[in-house]
Amino acid sequence: MRGANAAIAGILGAALYNPVWTSAILTPYDFALGQTGFILLTVWKAPPWVIVVMTACGGITLGML
């Protein structure tokens, strides 16, 4: 089972990287926005809906710059 879990995690990681990372993370500012959302979710245990709203507003702001 451990091998199957590791294989599935690798496939999911590859599936996330190709369409999401390569089309969404284009600048260091995009990376910082994504990293901020990840830290809010994992370290500060913020509600996911708050993170979605905050990163959406951040993305709109970055788009205007």
Side-chain angles (χ1 to χ4, degrees):
M1 256 345 235
R2 289 184 192 165
N5 286 338
I8 290 172
I11 290 170
L12 289 174
L16 175 69
Y17 172 78
N18 191 10
V20 176
W21 186 274
T22 58
S23 65
I25 307 295
L26 302 175
T27 66
Y29 299 116
D30 297 334
F31 179 77
L33 183 62
Q35 187 176 19
T36 301
F38 180 74
I39 289 171
L40 286 171
L41 184 63
T42 58
V43 177
W44 289 2
K45 308 282 192 244
W49 68 270
V50 171
I51 297 168
V52 168
V53 170
M54 289 178 65
T55 54
C57 291
I60 292 169
T61 304
L62 287 176
M64 290 182 181
L65 296 178

